[in-house]
Amino acid sequence: MMKKVINTSKAPAAIGPYSQAIKVGNLVFTSGQIPINPATGSFVEGGIKEQTRQSLTNVKAILEEAGLTMAHVVKTTVFMADMNDFADMNAVYAEFFSEPYPARSAVAVKTLPKGALVEIEVVAGTALA
């Protein structure tokens, strides 16, 4: 099965040996997105809400490059530096998804790249929505 690389300048460029996303068959797998504004190359100002919004905006841009929307997302994984931020992350997350909501895992981890408070990755299905 062929792998197709998905790449957009509307999300942060990959800074290592990985792709922003890979499409295989009817599925698109994004790499984890941290809250870097692709226009500035820097973290967005603010806390967990602003960082969650930017991470999901980056995910959305990658999906749009693949011809998809957030409605195509079937699974998300949210990595947080502090589980005490869950309620605020969840409030912003809810702005990006509607029913039927994707399946989700949310876990706290010791550290995230560049000291981010949140990192989000998704799996989307092209034959959906």
Side-chain angles (χ1 to χ4, degrees):
M1 190 171 284
M2 292 282 294
K3 292 192 301 186
K4 180 184 179 199
V5 174
I6 307 298
N7 189 48
T8 177
S9 61
K10 295 178 182 172
I15 53 172
Y18 63 91
S19 300
Q20 287 177 335
I22 293 288
K23 180 180 179 193
V24 178
N26 289 331
L27 296 175
V28 173
F29 299 84
T30 71
S31 291
Q33 293 301 302
I34 58 175
I36 291 177
N37 178 332
T40 65
S42 301
F43 273 7
V44 293
E45 299 276 330
I48 188 65
K49 287 183 176 182
E50 294 80 7
Q51 288 201 16
T52 300
R53 188 169 287 107
Q54 185 64 56
S55 293
L56 286 168
T57 297
N58 293 343
V59 166
K60 186 177 177 184
I62 292 167
L63 292 177
E64 286 172 353
E65 184 66 24
L68 304 177
T69 69
M70 297 299 264
H72 291 91
V73 175
V74 295
K75 173 70 169 78
T76 67
T77 306
V78 180
F79 303 95
M80 290 179 292
D82 186 347
M83 195 55 82
N84 290 319
D85 287 336
F86 183 85
D88 286 338
M89 175 282 298
N90 203 46
V92 173
Y93 179 97
E95 297 171 10
F96 285 80
F97 296 101
S98 56
E99 292 189 30
Y101 297 113
R104 178 176 75 183
S105 300
V107 297
V109 296
K110 187 173 179 180
T111 56
L112 288 166
K114 299 182 177 278
L117 299 177
V118 65
E119 179 175 359
I120 302 172
E121 64 183 29
V122 307
V123 178
T126 61
L128 306 171

